[in-house]
Amino acid sequence: MPATLKDIAKEVGKSITTVSRALHGYDDVSPETIALVRRVADEMGYTPNIMAQRLQKQRTDTIGFILPTFGPRFSDPFFSEFLAGIGNRAAKLGYDLLVSTRPPGEEELSTYRRKVQSHLVDGFVIVRTRRHDPRIEYLCQADFPFVAFGRTENNCDFPYVDEDGEHGMRLMAHHLADLGHKDIAFIAAPDELMFAHYRSKGFKEGLEERGVHLDEKLIVTGDLTQRDGFRQATSLLELTNPPTAIAACNDLMAMGAISAAQKRGLIVGKDIAITGFDNIPLAEHSHPPLTTIHQPIYQIGDMVCEILIRRIKGESVETDHALLEPTLVIRETCGGNQ
Amino acid sequence: MPATLKDIAKEVGKSITTVSRALHGYDDVSPETIALVRRVADEMGYTPNIMAQRLQKQRTDTIGFILPTFGPRFSDPFFSEFLAGIGNRAAKLGYDLLVSTRPPGEEELSTYRRKVQSHLVDGFVIVRTRRHDPRIEYLCQADFPFVAFGRTENNCDFPYVDEDGEHGMRLMAHHLADLGHKDIAFIAAPDELMFAHYRSKGFKEGLEERGVHLDEKLIVTGDLTQRDGFRQATSLLELTNPPTAIAACNDLMAMGAISAAQKRGLIVGKDIAITGFDNIPLAEHSHPPLTTIHQPIYQIGDMVCEILIRRIKGESVETDHALLEPTLVIRETCGGNQ
DNA sequence: TTGAAAGCGCTAACAA
DNA sequence: TTGTTAGCGCTTTCAA
């Protein structure tokens, strides 16, 4: 149906090769031919068949991104922003983005494997790294290009961009301690998630540095959703000695915790302090606005994508181990400023 | 590098053709050959080169989805959930998902055009339809398969799934009117967006049906973000005769409105009623929890994708004009139940 | 039951 | 400056 090089060749009475070269503007084609071919190509509405180009070139100009989803009601503001970051950068560099959604696990890994082996993508963006991450292990061992948002404990060297969550949570711990809190609870996330691990670590160390004891009973683990933040905070508040501050591992859980506190009639920012991590857009508009740690997700997506494409193209990359400095965003959930 | 049919053929001492057929389990290949070929293929870690298959088959087994983004801080919970819906269904049916992010406008349309012409995808999922939608116009005219989430006023027939936003907002208007509100404000969204148009229409009609007059001065338009919801609600509340209820066109703006009200010291659900539309996960955990209209976004994504793939495959589709019945979710932002 | 040959649309080395 | 030829990896007639 659509015009091919062959059609144009027939039309202008030249060979396919010449047409191809004319279209690419090679300088060994006469200007007249170039002009002619271009005009005819335009008239015929020619667009190259990308599959044919790809088969020939043995590249796909496509990068893969497999979204770790968790059940249908999946809605993490994190991902849409990150996706916009990589998507826009990829487009700017002439790359397409192949997205899959797959829950972590066996099937996830085989999805990576299949896409690598069948040459569906030239490289991968990995998010939400795990302490022991089979995806990274696989890609390293297969020597396939990828860049991760997050680090891991696997012992192999690979490019990543990460925010220093350990430092971020240390900042937060100091903030809370300096506000005079003694009974501080922490809603962690599964320690297998690398970022969760770092954040927990930073928080504990931060409190220690301020001489505040973190009671094991006040450490609980949630699944990163606001629903679970609500649940975990509720159980925390039902203790005989409830905490005066709750730090959550991410904003979503913090927002759940705010609900829980309010449900018990507590005034957040006065009766209890609550903090998050991520600074999602919603954080600014929670009630009260959430004190949190900022993470420039869009920019991270952008960086990750750019590094990946440079690697794919074999260009040199200056920094492929970026660790971003987090900043504390003080709003109203810890009181003080109002 | 990776094994090809040729490699296997050489290894087993048969022709490429035979190997291909053996791998596909054709019944005109001897069982022994099939077994042998399969074994060798496994050993060599064979995976078909998809680009080659696609070039040959003239299909891509890929569906396209172009995300309308608006600036970097792009974070609409709507999209991640919708994406999960189409992504999971596509995977189940053996399709890949090619995602782009592009702000609405000229470049957006040319992105569609390029992907169609270069055979990058077999069909498109369209979201956030506009009253006059150039994307739909183009795809219709090009006779390219697509399914939309949302309707349009372009006069061409195409498959869609939509929620009856008009009816939903009518429900909401009745709810507010029945609660006794007389001074009701509405934060609309740009009328060019089809869903916004329907929602506005339904809201106005709903109030009329209850004999409540909707003052033009109390109708403002926001850009669907919580930030703008905040801004618009603030201006509404600064009027000499501020409204006693604010209905927003979507949840995000409603959440901004809640902030605005609280900033002015109003108690939401008592001093003022605020409502949304969408029932995003966060709605349940706003403070107070938001009264809204439920929209099963994940399921809609799933449906849209399924219809699209059936069409691509040329299978018959029973219902390709689905209009879903919305439901009112009463929580606490209008008072009453507490 | 198997293989030879053609072709999907394109690029590139080489020859003319 | 242009054309011939080969080939990317696969599927699919058609003939043996």
Side-chain angles (χ1 to χ4, degrees), chain A residues 47 73 81 88 96-97 99 101-102 115 117 226 259 262 279 282 287, chain B residues 47 73 81 88 91 96-97 99 101 115 226 259 262 279 282 287:
Chain A
T47 325
R73 201 92 167 113
E81 200 167 339
N88 290 346
D96 285 316
L97 195 58
V99 175
T101 54
R102 214 56 46 100
K115 293 200 196 297
Q117 290 176 343
Q226 63 270 51
S259 292
Q262 290 177 339
N279 195 27
L282 245 10
H287 316 295
Chain B
T47 326
R73 201 94 167 109
E81 199 167 341
N88 290 346
D96 285 317
L97 196 57
V99 175
T101 54
K115 293 199 195 297
Q226 62 270 51
S259 293
Q262 290 176 339
N279 196 27
L282 244 11
H287 315 294

PDB file of all heavy atoms in Angstrom, chain A residues 47 73 81 88 96-97 99 101-102 115 117 226 259 262 279 282 287, chain B residues 47 73 81 88 91 96-97 99 101 115 226 259 262 279 282 287:
ATOM      1  N   THR A  47       7.470   7.092   3.183  1.00  0.00           N
ATOM      2  CA  THR A  47       8.111   7.034   4.497  1.00  0.00           C
ATOM      3  C   THR A  47       8.834   5.704   4.559  1.00  0.00           C
ATOM      4  O   THR A  47       8.265   4.684   4.185  1.00  0.00           O
ATOM      5  CB  THR A  47       7.088   7.039   5.646  1.00  0.00           C
ATOM      6  OG1 THR A  47       5.992   7.860   5.277  1.00  0.00           O
ATOM      7  CG2 THR A  47       7.717   7.551   6.915  1.00  0.00           C
ATOM      8  N   ARG A  73      -5.143  -1.597  40.995  1.00  0.00           N
ATOM      9  CA  ARG A  73      -5.257  -0.221  41.455  1.00  0.00           C
ATOM     10  C   ARG A  73      -3.855   0.331  41.620  1.00  0.00           C
ATOM     11  O   ARG A  73      -3.406   0.693  42.712  1.00  0.00           O
ATOM     12  CB  ARG A  73      -6.022  -0.190  42.787  1.00  0.00           C
ATOM     13  CG  ARG A  73      -6.639   1.182  43.091  1.00  0.00           C
ATOM     14  CD  ARG A  73      -8.060   1.282  42.571  1.00  0.00           C
ATOM     15  NE  ARG A  73      -8.740   2.460  43.125  1.00  0.00           N
ATOM     16  CZ  ARG A  73      -9.108   3.501  42.389  1.00  0.00           C
ATOM     17  NH1 ARG A  73      -8.842   3.516  41.121  1.00  0.00           N
ATOM     18  NH2 ARG A  73      -9.734   4.514  42.937  1.00  0.00           N
ATOM     19  N   GLU A  81       5.596  10.613  36.260  1.00  0.00           N
ATOM     20  CA  GLU A  81       6.577  11.676  36.112  1.00  0.00           C
ATOM     21  C   GLU A  81       7.896  11.138  35.547  1.00  0.00           C
ATOM     22  O   GLU A  81       8.519  11.741  34.674  1.00  0.00           O
ATOM     23  CB  GLU A  81       6.813  12.337  37.472  1.00  0.00           C
ATOM     24  CG  GLU A  81       7.409  13.699  37.341  1.00  0.00           C
ATOM     25  CD  GLU A  81       7.360  14.474  38.645  1.00  0.00           C
ATOM     26  OE1 GLU A  81       6.546  14.144  39.522  1.00  0.00           O
ATOM     27  OE2 GLU A  81       8.158  15.417  38.774  1.00  0.00           O
ATOM     28  N   ASN A  88      10.334  12.002  27.095  1.00  0.00           N
ATOM     29  CA  ASN A  88      10.675  13.229  26.386  1.00  0.00           C
ATOM     30  C   ASN A  88      12.125  13.227  25.922  1.00  0.00           C
ATOM     31  O   ASN A  88      12.438  13.641  24.804  1.00  0.00           O
ATOM     32  CB  ASN A  88      10.406  14.445  27.272  1.00  0.00           C
ATOM     33  CG  ASN A  88       8.918  14.673  27.468  1.00  0.00           C
ATOM     34  OD1 ASN A  88       8.093  14.097  26.759  1.00  0.00           O
ATOM     35  ND2 ASN A  88       8.561  15.488  28.431  1.00  0.00           N
ATOM     36  N   ASP A  96      12.461   5.487  20.424  1.00  0.00           N
ATOM     37  CA  ASP A  96      11.133   5.132  20.883  1.00  0.00           C
ATOM     38  C   ASP A  96      11.231   4.443  22.229  1.00  0.00           C
ATOM     39  O   ASP A  96      12.302   4.015  22.648  1.00  0.00           O
ATOM     40  CB  ASP A  96      10.461   4.192  19.879  1.00  0.00           C
ATOM     41  CG  ASP A  96       9.997   4.939  18.642  1.00  0.00           C
ATOM     42  OD1 ASP A  96       9.427   6.028  18.800  1.00  0.00           O
ATOM     43  OD2 ASP A  96      10.221   4.430  17.534  1.00  0.00           O
ATOM     44  N   LEU A  97      10.079   4.331  22.842  1.00  0.00           N
ATOM     45  CA  LEU A  97      10.041   3.775  24.190  1.00  0.00           C
ATOM     46  C   LEU A  97       9.064   2.611  24.217  1.00  0.00           C
ATOM     47  O   LEU A  97       7.880   2.789  23.946  1.00  0.00           O
ATOM     48  CB  LEU A  97       9.572   4.876  25.145  1.00  0.00           C
ATOM     49  CG  LEU A  97       9.769   4.671  26.621  1.00  0.00           C
ATOM     50  CD1 LEU A  97      11.230   4.452  26.915  1.00  0.00           C
ATOM     51  CD2 LEU A  97       9.242   5.875  27.367  1.00  0.00           C
ATOM     52  N   VAL A  99       7.178   0.083  26.444  1.00  0.00           N
ATOM     53  CA  VAL A  99       6.839  -0.039  27.852  1.00  0.00           C
ATOM     54  C   VAL A  99       6.079  -1.332  28.111  1.00  0.00           C
ATOM     55  O   VAL A  99       5.195  -1.701  27.336  1.00  0.00           O
ATOM     56  CB  VAL A  99       5.963   1.144  28.297  1.00  0.00           C
ATOM     57  CG1 VAL A  99       5.505   0.970  29.723  1.00  0.00           C
ATOM     58  CG2 VAL A  99       6.725   2.446  28.139  1.00  0.00           C
ATOM     59  N   THR A 101       4.233  -3.619  31.460  1.00  0.00           N
ATOM     60  CA  THR A 101       3.894  -3.585  32.873  1.00  0.00           C
ATOM     61  C   THR A 101       3.927  -5.023  33.355  1.00  0.00           C
ATOM     62  O   THR A 101       3.304  -5.896  32.757  1.00  0.00           O
ATOM     63  CB  THR A 101       2.485  -3.009  33.077  1.00  0.00           C
ATOM     64  OG1 THR A 101       1.571  -3.745  32.270  1.00  0.00           O
ATOM     65  CG2 THR A 101       2.434  -1.565  32.634  1.00  0.00           C
ATOM     66  N   ARG A 102       4.658  -5.264  34.399  1.00  0.00           N
ATOM     67  CA  ARG A 102       4.791  -6.635  34.868  1.00  0.00           C
ATOM     68  C   ARG A 102       5.082  -6.605  36.368  1.00  0.00           C
ATOM     69  O   ARG A 102       5.942  -5.837  36.805  1.00  0.00           O
ATOM     70  CB  ARG A 102       5.973  -7.304  34.135  1.00  0.00           C
ATOM     71  CG  ARG A 102       5.837  -8.767  33.840  1.00  0.00           C
ATOM     72  CD  ARG A 102       4.585  -9.130  33.027  1.00  0.00           C
ATOM     73  NE  ARG A 102       4.318  -8.283  31.870  1.00  0.00           N
ATOM     74  CZ  ARG A 102       4.615  -8.592  30.632  1.00  0.00           C
ATOM     75  NH1 ARG A 102       5.184  -9.720  30.348  1.00  0.00           N
ATOM     76  NH2 ARG A 102       4.308  -7.768  29.653  1.00  0.00           N
ATOM     77  N   LYS A 115      12.837  -9.818  25.517  1.00  0.00           N
ATOM     78  CA  LYS A 115      13.061  -8.582  24.757  1.00  0.00           C
ATOM     79  C   LYS A 115      14.522  -8.420  24.346  1.00  0.00           C
ATOM     80  O   LYS A 115      14.824  -7.865  23.296  1.00  0.00           O
ATOM     81  CB  LYS A 115      12.603  -7.379  25.574  1.00  0.00           C
ATOM     82  CG  LYS A 115      11.096  -7.347  25.776  1.00  0.00           C
ATOM     83  CD  LYS A 115      10.603  -5.971  26.149  1.00  0.00           C
ATOM     84  CE  LYS A 115       9.205  -6.007  26.725  1.00  0.00           C
ATOM     85  NZ  LYS A 115       8.195  -6.490  25.771  1.00  0.00           N
ATOM     86  N   GLN A 117      16.644 -11.004  23.811  1.00  0.00           N
ATOM     87  CA  GLN A 117      17.007 -12.014  22.832  1.00  0.00           C
ATOM     88  C   GLN A 117      16.382 -11.796  21.470  1.00  0.00           C
ATOM     89  O   GLN A 117      16.963 -12.131  20.450  1.00  0.00           O
ATOM     90  CB  GLN A 117      16.623 -13.402  23.358  1.00  0.00           C
ATOM     91  CG  GLN A 117      17.499 -13.814  24.517  1.00  0.00           C
ATOM     92  CD  GLN A 117      17.070 -15.124  25.115  1.00  0.00           C
ATOM     93  OE1 GLN A 117      15.959 -15.583  24.879  1.00  0.00           O
ATOM     94  NE2 GLN A 117      17.944 -15.722  25.921  1.00  0.00           N
ATOM     95  N   GLN A 226      -0.731   4.445  50.007  1.00  0.00           N
ATOM     96  CA  GLN A 226      -1.333   5.237  51.071  1.00  0.00           C
ATOM     97  C   GLN A 226      -2.241   4.372  51.929  1.00  0.00           C
ATOM     98  O   GLN A 226      -2.356   4.558  53.131  1.00  0.00           O
ATOM     99  CB  GLN A 226      -2.056   6.476  50.526  1.00  0.00           C
ATOM    100  CG  GLN A 226      -3.227   6.211  49.632  1.00  0.00           C
ATOM    101  CD  GLN A 226      -2.794   6.123  48.182  1.00  0.00           C
ATOM    102  OE1 GLN A 226      -1.866   5.383  47.831  1.00  0.00           O
ATOM    103  NE2 GLN A 226      -3.468   6.848  47.325  1.00  0.00           N
ATOM    104  N   SER A 259      -4.088  10.579  57.249  1.00  0.00           N
ATOM    105  CA  SER A 259      -5.485  10.155  57.382  1.00  0.00           C
ATOM    106  C   SER A 259      -5.721   9.459  58.707  1.00  0.00           C
ATOM    107  O   SER A 259      -6.681   9.733  59.420  1.00  0.00           O
ATOM    108  CB  SER A 259      -5.866   9.159  56.295  1.00  0.00           C
ATOM    109  OG  SER A 259      -5.881   9.752  55.051  1.00  0.00           O
ATOM    110  N   GLN A 262      -5.698  11.779  61.647  1.00  0.00           N
ATOM    111  CA  GLN A 262      -6.882  12.626  61.690  1.00  0.00           C
ATOM    112  C   GLN A 262      -8.117  11.839  62.073  1.00  0.00           C
ATOM    113  O   GLN A 262      -8.992  12.328  62.768  1.00  0.00           O
ATOM    114  CB  GLN A 262      -7.057  13.314  60.339  1.00  0.00           C
ATOM    115  CG  GLN A 262      -5.978  14.362  60.126  1.00  0.00           C
ATOM    116  CD  GLN A 262      -6.054  15.032  58.786  1.00  0.00           C
ATOM    117  OE1 GLN A 262      -6.645  14.500  57.859  1.00  0.00           O
ATOM    118  NE2 GLN A 262      -5.428  16.198  58.668  1.00  0.00           N
ATOM    119  N   ASN A 279       8.525  14.045  47.733  1.00  0.00           N
ATOM    120  CA  ASN A 279       7.962  15.324  47.297  1.00  0.00           C
ATOM    121  C   ASN A 279       7.218  15.186  45.970  1.00  0.00           C
ATOM    122  O   ASN A 279       7.498  15.901  45.017  1.00  0.00           O
ATOM    123  CB  ASN A 279       9.049  16.409  47.199  1.00  0.00           C
ATOM    124  CG  ASN A 279       8.452  17.802  47.113  1.00  0.00           C
ATOM    125  OD1 ASN A 279       7.347  18.026  47.604  1.00  0.00           O
ATOM    126  ND2 ASN A 279       9.154  18.716  46.470  1.00  0.00           N
ATOM    127  N   LEU A 282       1.539  16.032  44.853  1.00  0.00           N
ATOM    128  CA  LEU A 282       0.454  16.041  45.823  1.00  0.00           C
ATOM    129  C   LEU A 282       0.909  16.475  47.214  1.00  0.00           C
ATOM    130  O   LEU A 282       0.106  16.946  48.023  1.00  0.00           O
ATOM    131  CB  LEU A 282      -0.129  14.630  45.915  1.00  0.00           C
ATOM    132  CG  LEU A 282      -1.559  14.390  45.459  1.00  0.00           C
ATOM    133  CD1 LEU A 282      -2.148  15.570  44.731  1.00  0.00           C
ATOM    134  CD2 LEU A 282      -1.646  13.153  44.621  1.00  0.00           C
ATOM    135  N   HIS A 287      -3.183  17.901  53.391  1.00  0.00           N
ATOM    136  CA  HIS A 287      -3.739  18.768  54.437  1.00  0.00           C
ATOM    137  C   HIS A 287      -3.355  18.229  55.781  1.00  0.00           C
ATOM    138  O   HIS A 287      -3.905  17.232  56.188  1.00  0.00           O
ATOM    139  CB  HIS A 287      -5.243  18.854  54.285  1.00  0.00           C
ATOM    140  CG  HIS A 287      -5.635  19.045  52.874  1.00  0.00           C
ATOM    141  ND1 HIS A 287      -5.315  20.174  52.157  1.00  0.00           N
ATOM    142  CD2 HIS A 287      -6.254  18.204  52.004  1.00  0.00           C
ATOM    143  CE1 HIS A 287      -5.749  20.046  50.919  1.00  0.00           C
ATOM    144  NE2 HIS A 287      -6.315  18.848  50.795  1.00  0.00           N
TER     145      HIS A 287
ATOM    146  N   THR B  47      16.179 -17.618  19.735  1.00  0.00           N
ATOM    147  CA  THR B  47      14.953 -16.830  19.801  1.00  0.00           C
ATOM    148  C   THR B  47      14.802 -16.165  18.450  1.00  0.00           C
ATOM    149  O   THR B  47      15.764 -15.616  17.928  1.00  0.00           O
ATOM    150  CB  THR B  47      15.037 -15.701  20.841  1.00  0.00           C
ATOM    151  OG1 THR B  47      15.820 -16.130  21.927  1.00  0.00           O
ATOM    152  CG2 THR B  47      13.664 -15.294  21.306  1.00  0.00           C
ATOM    153  N   ARG B  73       6.497  18.717  35.390  1.00  0.00           N
ATOM    154  CA  ARG B  73       5.907  18.189  36.632  1.00  0.00           C
ATOM    155  C   ARG B  73       4.592  17.523  36.277  1.00  0.00           C
ATOM    156  O   ARG B  73       3.505  17.944  36.700  1.00  0.00           O
ATOM    157  CB  ARG B  73       5.704  19.333  37.633  1.00  0.00           C
ATOM    158  CG  ARG B  73       5.593  18.863  39.080  1.00  0.00           C
ATOM    159  CD  ARG B  73       6.921  18.905  39.791  1.00  0.00           C
ATOM    160  NE  ARG B  73       6.767  18.749  41.246  1.00  0.00           N
ATOM    161  CZ  ARG B  73       7.136  17.667  41.905  1.00  0.00           C
ATOM    162  NH1 ARG B  73       7.669  16.659  41.255  1.00  0.00           N
ATOM    163  NH2 ARG B  73       7.006  17.601  43.214  1.00  0.00           N
ATOM    164  N   GLU B  81      -2.543   4.425  36.035  1.00  0.00           N
ATOM    165  CA  GLU B  81      -3.512   3.343  36.172  1.00  0.00           C
ATOM    166  C   GLU B  81      -4.033   2.889  34.802  1.00  0.00           C
ATOM    167  O   GLU B  81      -4.164   1.696  34.539  1.00  0.00           O
ATOM    168  CB  GLU B  81      -4.674   3.821  37.049  1.00  0.00           C
ATOM    169  CG  GLU B  81      -5.469   2.678  37.604  1.00  0.00           C
ATOM    170  CD  GLU B  81      -6.411   3.113  38.704  1.00  0.00           C
ATOM    171  OE1 GLU B  81      -6.214   4.203  39.285  1.00  0.00           O
ATOM    172  OE2 GLU B  81      -7.355   2.362  38.971  1.00  0.00           O
ATOM    173  N   ASN B  88      -1.227  -4.469  30.738  1.00  0.00           N
ATOM    174  CA  ASN B  88      -1.432  -5.851  31.146  1.00  0.00           C
ATOM    175  C   ASN B  88      -2.249  -6.617  30.123  1.00  0.00           C
ATOM    176  O   ASN B  88      -1.954  -7.773  29.807  1.00  0.00           O
ATOM    177  CB  ASN B  88      -2.104  -5.906  32.512  1.00  0.00           C
ATOM    178  CG  ASN B  88      -1.171  -5.452  33.619  1.00  0.00           C
ATOM    179  OD1 ASN B  88       0.046  -5.336  33.413  1.00  0.00           O
ATOM    180  ND2 ASN B  88      -1.712  -5.179  34.784  1.00  0.00           N
ATOM    181  N   ALA B  91      -0.093  -7.362  27.059  1.00  0.00           N
ATOM    182  CA  ALA B  91       0.844  -8.454  27.318  1.00  0.00           C
ATOM    183  C   ALA B  91       0.121  -9.790  27.243  1.00  0.00           C
ATOM    184  O   ALA B  91       0.609 -10.748  26.644  1.00  0.00           O
ATOM    185  CB  ALA B  91       1.488  -8.275  28.688  1.00  0.00           C
ATOM    186  N   ASP B  96       2.998  -5.770  22.262  1.00  0.00           N
ATOM    187  CA  ASP B  96       3.844  -4.815  22.955  1.00  0.00           C
ATOM    188  C   ASP B  96       3.189  -3.443  22.933  1.00  0.00           C
ATOM    189  O   ASP B  96       2.268  -3.194  22.162  1.00  0.00           O
ATOM    190  CB  ASP B  96       5.214  -4.738  22.279  1.00  0.00           C
ATOM    191  CG  ASP B  96       6.051  -5.944  22.610  1.00  0.00           C
ATOM    192  OD1 ASP B  96       6.063  -6.363  23.784  1.00  0.00           O
ATOM    193  OD2 ASP B  96       6.679  -6.495  21.687  1.00  0.00           O
ATOM    194  N   LEU B  97       3.726  -2.591  23.762  1.00  0.00           N
ATOM    195  CA  LEU B  97       3.154  -1.267  23.901  1.00  0.00           C
ATOM    196  C   LEU B  97       4.227  -0.224  23.649  1.00  0.00           C
ATOM    197  O   LEU B  97       5.233  -0.176  24.363  1.00  0.00           O
ATOM    198  CB  LEU B  97       2.630  -1.134  25.334  1.00  0.00           C
ATOM    199  CG  LEU B  97       1.673  -0.003  25.632  1.00  0.00           C
ATOM    200  CD1 LEU B  97       0.463  -0.097  24.728  1.00  0.00           C
ATOM    201  CD2 LEU B  97       1.254  -0.078  27.091  1.00  0.00           C
ATOM    202  N   VAL B  99       5.113   3.527  23.787  1.00  0.00           N
ATOM    203  CA  VAL B  99       4.592   4.722  24.434  1.00  0.00           C
ATOM    204  C   VAL B  99       5.408   5.949  24.058  1.00  0.00           C
ATOM    205  O   VAL B  99       6.632   5.894  24.009  1.00  0.00           O
ATOM    206  CB  VAL B  99       4.638   4.553  25.968  1.00  0.00           C
ATOM    207  CG1 VAL B  99       4.218   5.836  26.662  1.00  0.00           C
ATOM    208  CG2 VAL B  99       3.745   3.405  26.394  1.00  0.00           C
ATOM    209  N   THR B 101       5.525  10.334  24.791  1.00  0.00           N
ATOM    210  CA  THR B 101       4.964  11.431  25.559  1.00  0.00           C
ATOM    211  C   THR B 101       5.089  12.672  24.693  1.00  0.00           C
ATOM    212  O   THR B 101       6.174  12.973  24.215  1.00  0.00           O
ATOM    213  CB  THR B 101       5.741  11.637  26.864  1.00  0.00           C
ATOM    214  OG1 THR B 101       7.122  11.807  26.553  1.00  0.00           O
ATOM    215  CG2 THR B 101       5.619  10.425  27.757  1.00  0.00           C
ATOM    216  N   LYS B 115       4.335   7.375  13.044  1.00  0.00           N
ATOM    217  CA  LYS B 115       4.232   5.994  13.501  1.00  0.00           C
ATOM    218  C   LYS B 115       3.322   5.164  12.610  1.00  0.00           C
ATOM    219  O   LYS B 115       3.526   3.972  12.429  1.00  0.00           O
ATOM    220  CB  LYS B 115       3.740   5.960  14.945  1.00  0.00           C
ATOM    221  CG  LYS B 115       4.765   6.545  15.913  1.00  0.00           C
ATOM    222  CD  LYS B 115       4.511   6.107  17.340  1.00  0.00           C
ATOM    223  CE  LYS B 115       5.277   6.949  18.337  1.00  0.00           C
ATOM    224  NZ  LYS B 115       6.723   6.873  18.219  1.00  0.00           N
ATOM    225  N   GLN B 226      -3.892  20.017  40.632  1.00  0.00           N
ATOM    226  CA  GLN B 226      -4.295  20.469  41.962  1.00  0.00           C
ATOM    227  C   GLN B 226      -3.842  21.898  42.202  1.00  0.00           C
ATOM    228  O   GLN B 226      -4.504  22.676  42.867  1.00  0.00           O
ATOM    229  CB  GLN B 226      -3.801  19.526  43.059  1.00  0.00           C
ATOM    230  CG  GLN B 226      -2.321  19.378  43.200  1.00  0.00           C
ATOM    231  CD  GLN B 226      -1.781  18.250  42.334  1.00  0.00           C
ATOM    232  OE1 GLN B 226      -2.060  18.194  41.128  1.00  0.00           O
ATOM    233  NE2 GLN B 226      -0.992  17.391  42.907  1.00  0.00           N
ATOM    234  N   SER B 259      -7.386  22.360  49.777  1.00  0.00           N
ATOM    235  CA  SER B 259      -6.274  23.140  50.334  1.00  0.00           C
ATOM    236  C   SER B 259      -6.661  24.594  50.478  1.00  0.00           C
ATOM    237  O   SER B 259      -6.427  25.229  51.511  1.00  0.00           O
ATOM    238  CB  SER B 259      -5.057  23.114  49.407  1.00  0.00           C
ATOM    239  OG  SER B 259      -4.513  21.848  49.344  1.00  0.00           O
ATOM    240  N   GLN B 262      -9.068  25.226  53.268  1.00  0.00           N
ATOM    241  CA  GLN B 262      -8.455  25.079  54.582  1.00  0.00           C
ATOM    242  C   GLN B 262      -7.511  26.228  54.887  1.00  0.00           C
ATOM    243  O   GLN B 262      -7.390  26.661  56.017  1.00  0.00           O
ATOM    244  CB  GLN B 262      -7.758  23.734  54.668  1.00  0.00           C
ATOM    245  CG  GLN B 262      -8.776  22.604  54.711  1.00  0.00           C
ATOM    246  CD  GLN B 262      -8.148  21.229  54.710  1.00  0.00           C
ATOM    247  OE1 GLN B 262      -7.010  21.065  54.300  1.00  0.00           O
ATOM    248  NE2 GLN B 262      -8.903  20.239  55.146  1.00  0.00           N
ATOM    249  N   ASN B 279     -12.440   9.566  41.235  1.00  0.00           N
ATOM    250  CA  ASN B 279     -12.140   8.612  42.312  1.00  0.00           C
ATOM    251  C   ASN B 279     -10.771   7.980  42.144  1.00  0.00           C
ATOM    252  O   ASN B 279     -10.617   6.765  42.132  1.00  0.00           O
ATOM    253  CB  ASN B 279     -13.221   7.539  42.412  1.00  0.00           C
ATOM    254  CG  ASN B 279     -13.144   6.783  43.735  1.00  0.00           C
ATOM    255  OD1 ASN B 279     -12.671   7.315  44.734  1.00  0.00           O
ATOM    256  ND2 ASN B 279     -13.573   5.531  43.740  1.00  0.00           N
ATOM    257  N   LEU B 282      -6.057   8.346  45.602  1.00  0.00           N
ATOM    258  CA  LEU B 282      -5.793   9.351  46.613  1.00  0.00           C
ATOM    259  C   LEU B 282      -7.071   9.947  47.197  1.00  0.00           C
ATOM    260  O   LEU B 282      -7.070  10.470  48.318  1.00  0.00           O
ATOM    261  CB  LEU B 282      -4.981  10.486  45.976  1.00  0.00           C
ATOM    262  CG  LEU B 282      -3.561  10.744  46.473  1.00  0.00           C
ATOM    263  CD1 LEU B 282      -3.055   9.641  47.376  1.00  0.00           C
ATOM    264  CD2 LEU B 282      -2.630  10.960  45.315  1.00  0.00           C
ATOM    265  N   HIS B 287      -7.963  14.694  52.954  1.00  0.00           N
ATOM    266  CA  HIS B 287      -8.392  15.066  54.298  1.00  0.00           C
ATOM    267  C   HIS B 287      -9.300  16.262  54.225  1.00  0.00           C
ATOM    268  O   HIS B 287      -8.825  17.345  53.969  1.00  0.00           O
ATOM    269  CB  HIS B 287      -7.165  15.371  55.161  1.00  0.00           C
ATOM    270  CG  HIS B 287      -6.106  14.358  54.973  1.00  0.00           C
ATOM    271  ND1 HIS B 287      -6.266  13.048  55.357  1.00  0.00           N
ATOM    272  CD2 HIS B 287      -4.910  14.425  54.363  1.00  0.00           C
ATOM    273  CE1 HIS B 287      -5.188  12.367  55.007  1.00  0.00           C
ATOM    274  NE2 HIS B 287      -4.348  13.173  54.400  1.00  0.00           N
TER     275      HIS B 287
END
